[in-house]
Amino acid sequence: MPTVNIVVLLVVIVILRLRRRTESRSRRDEKMTVAIVLVLGVLLAPTPVGQGIVQFLGQVVHGIGQAGD
């Protein structure tokens, strides 16, 4: 399993890439950002932090579903 340091590095890279202006991005640059985010998701999913995020989002979706009834 990858260390948390790799995940933290990818988070920093994603944040830096997303802070750039939208108009100045090329299509290749956008594809690279999507690929990095996908890799981040794959690395984060099996970790306890990733599982906590999934549980939290599940509770939010469940709460929204109940509020709509």
Side-chain angles (χ1 to χ4, degrees):
M1 183 183 304
T3 64
V4 176
N5 293 338
I6 294 172
V7 173
V8 172
L9 176 64
L10 283 176
V11 167
V12 170
I13 290 171
V14 168
I15 289 171
L16 290 176
R17 291 181 70 85
L18 292 178
R19 288 185 59 192
R20 292 178 51 203
R21 290 175 39 122
T22 303
E23 295 85 16
S24 64
R25 294 184 191 162
S26 66
R27 181 164 287 199
R28 188 180 78 193
D29 189 37
E30 289 178 354
K31 287 180 182 179
M32 179 63 80
T33 301
V34 169
I36 291 171
V37 170
L38 286 174
V39 169
L40 175 64
V42 168
L43 291 175
L44 189 62
T47 64
V49 172
Q51 295 300 317
I53 292 170
V54 168
Q55 289 175 355
F56 173 75
L57 290 177
Q59 290 174 354
V60 169
V61 169
H62 183 70
I64 291 172
Q66 285 184 346
D69 291 338

